[in-house]
Amino acid sequence: MHATHPTDRLHGLDAIRGLALLLGVLLHTTMSFLPGPQIWVVADASRSTTLSITFFVIHMMRMTVFFLIAGFFGRMICHRVGWRAFAIDRLKRIAVPLVVAWPIVFGAILVVIAAGDGWKKPPTLPALSAANFPLTHLWFLYVLLILYLAALTLRGIVARLDTLAQFRRVIDATTRVILGPWAAFVLAVPVATALYRHPYWAMWFGIPTPDASLYPNTAALTTYGLGLALGWLVHRQSAIILPRWTRQWVLHLVVAVAATGICLAMAGVVPLLMPVPQSSRKLWYAATYAVALWSWTFAMLGMGLRFLGAFSPWRRYLADASYWIYLAHLPLVMALQMVVAPWVLPWQVKLPVILAVVMTLLLLTYHYLVRPTFIGATLNGRRHPRATSSHHQHLGATVMRMLTLALVLPAALAAQPPRPPAAIPLDTVLARHAAAVGPAHTITARRTTMRITGMAPFPLPIKVEAMRPNLIRKEVNIQGSIQITGYDGADAWRIDPFVAGGAKPMDVPAAELSDLMEETDFDGPLFNTKAKGHRIAYLGPAIVSIGARKVPVHSVKLTLKTGPESVVHLDATTYLEVKRVQTRPVAGRDNTMEITSSDYRAVGGLQVPHLIEIMPEGVAQPIRLVFERVELNVPLERRQFVRGTAKR
């Protein structure tokens, strides 16, 4: 936290400290829009790799910046008022907000989650223990207390043993050497080591967030502890180090951007929760990530000192408000994400609406309920008088206008129902669909690995290989036993370990044969429809329901050569298939099922859905096909599709 005396205030660092907290609001707001599997309490219909890169960069650097500045200002206050007064001040402004805010914030999060689930069950607290404690986004206060306690302890030991200050002079000289132009590479060593040694490290998410336990992980303690220690030591010789950062911000920014680009090239732009195995790739990524982390930190500090060093009442006000905003924002962000998720609007509209409403409401509460009260005195170190100047009165009026706009805009947008698109010729619809999918004619073979849920009590791994024009082979792993189904263009066969004599190839059951034949169409029935003998008709524009969303579509009726019919809905904006309704015989009677396709990703120039949900009539939960890997033009041999090829 910053010093309380205006004359001691370094406005550039104070502005960057506030920015680091406010970036946390943006970080959490992006999480419902991230592409790939759902990792947040709600997944928006509009996903964005732009926002995943934004999340990646913010998560990489903001907390290291915060802890370094916390160390700098912490030592400033401790040096001025003494360690006892400093300890009391930290308890008041960090421990008290943590203890008071956590049950309120966590309870609000549970209520928001329960409301988003339709109040199917009341919110309940998990069984809390030191190893299982959901600190939520308030973890930074808990870790900050631990690090300040460690800093005071080390300070006391050094002061007692180093009576002639010889050791401190060595530390100061070492700090000056480390913080040269190469600082990011030197400091990357301990961070990279901690990341490499961290078990089950999901490398895309960088420093593992210590938010689920009262035992912070080693990687987080190493990184943020090093940041706070560095800030503490820099304050001892700020007249030397701060001008150096001011001069070198361009260098650090260039290194940060380059190292971040390398990290994204290695990890991808789609969030991945899977841990990475111990390997040279993990080590190189950890090292590059650590260099990027420290380079961003020094670049941000340098830019703050260079461009934000002068006093600004607005920046000062936002820096003061940032603590309250960060403490209170998360339940409100979650609630608004759930509200806007079904809107048929792009993320470029939804995300600014969420941010506008959240920031306006929290600035209003800060201005009227926090800043002039004992809460403001606790958070900011002093209580500001209530609107005693024309500046504050003007600010209040401005904030009120912002609130009115922020509340009216989303209400107006939500009140607008989606409209069907204009009707267009069938040939145009099919041509746009083909262009949206990509150059499918260039693909001759593919291999897909996925997992299926909803068919068994456990996920079923499955691998599907296919070749033009209609060869297919499927391998389903059922608790270690492999069921193989194949078609070589003329003969459909199966090796099924779950039936008597299943070790030998047998004919595919008649009830499944028609479905298998539909799967053998390499490109799908909407490509070269007439040449395949299918019939297709344009049903016109429509609005279809996909979960809670209303989606404008172009609908076509497809009648296969063999007789089965389907209605296919193509998104009116992307022209990709989003829903299919078809009727097929099941157990002797016709059964209607809805098939939705989503999470489209570019693979080899094609747009491929990575989530398909099948909802048969009369079933409560869908069957979900989650694509884990799609490979195009892989080397396959025709013999592996021939009856009886259990082994390659």
Side-chain angles (χ1 to χ4, degrees), residues 15-38:
I16 294 299
R17 178 193 64 84
L19 178 62
L21 290 175
L22 295 178
L23 282 176
V25 181
L26 174 59
L27 178 93
H28 292 130
T29 306
T30 66
M31 294 187 71
S32 63
F33 303 98
L34 298 182
Q38 181 174 342

Side-chain angles (χ1 to χ4, degrees), residues 14-261:
D14 206 35
I16 294 299
R17 178 193 64 84
L19 178 62
L21 290 175
L22 295 178
L23 282 176
V25 181
L26 174 59
L27 178 93
H28 292 130
T29 306
T30 66
M31 294 187 71
S32 63
F33 303 98
L34 298 182
Q38 181 174 342
I39 62 172
W40 192 234
V41 293
V42 59
D44 199 277
S46 178
R47 308 291 190 91
S48 169
T49 54
T50 299
L51 292 184
S52 71
I53 296 172
T54 301
F55 175 96
F56 187 88
V57 174
I58 293 175
H59 184 66
M60 175 182 281
M61 55 84 173
R62 74 179 183 95
M63 292 313 298
T64 311
V65 169
F66 174 84
F67 277 98
L68 193 150
I69 295 176
F72 184 94
F73 284 127
R75 201 264 175 182
M76 174 188 290
I77 298 172
C78 186
H79 182 68
R80 187 178 65 240
V81 302
W83 72 267
R84 288 185 178 85
F86 172 74
I88 294 172
D89 180 75
R90 297 301 88 178
L91 289 174
K92 175 185 175 183
R93 298 180 58 193
I94 299 174
V96 170
L98 173 62
V99 172
V100 173
W102 180 83
I104 299 173
V105 170
F106 186 60
I109 290 173
L110 291 178
V111 171
V112 169
I113 293 173
D117 197 34
W119 298 105
K120 294 178 182 178
K121 56 182 179 180
T124 56
L125 280 172
L128 299 181
S129 66
N132 178 32
F133 198 97
L135 287 164
T136 69
H137 64 299
L138 304 184
W139 65 265
F140 81 104
L141 295 176
Y142 179 72
V143 173
L144 194 56
L145 284 173
I146 294 175
L147 295 179
Y148 272 142
L149 176 62
L152 286 178
T153 302
L154 287 175
R155 177 187 178 278
I157 294 173
V158 170
R160 181 174 294 272
L161 298 180
D162 187 32
T163 55
L164 299 179
Q166 294 177 342
F167 177 71
R168 277 167 280 188
R169 284 193 288 271
V170 171
I171 292 297
D172 288 343
T174 303
T175 302
R176 291 194 298 272
V177 172
I178 290 175
L179 293 181
W182 47 79
F185 296 90
V186 176
L187 295 170
V189 173
V191 175
T193 302
L195 289 175
Y196 179 75
R197 294 174 59 86
H198 187 78
Y200 305 108
W201 179 42
M203 67 182 193
W204 198 91
F205 289 90
I207 307 301
T209 306
D211 59 353
S213 170
L214 296 182
Y215 304 123
N217 64 76
T218 303
L221 276 183
T222 299
T223 306
Y224 303 137
L226 187 58
L228 187 135
L230 190 63
W232 193 282
L233 294 174
V234 165
H235 180 262
R236 290 178 52 83
Q237 44 193 336
S238 56
I240 298 174
I241 303 300
L242 296 189
R244 185 181 297 179
W245 283 345
T246 306
R247 293 191 303 270
Q248 295 175 351
W249 71 269
V250 174
L251 170 65
H252 291 305
L253 182 62
V254 170
V255 175
V257 171
T260 302

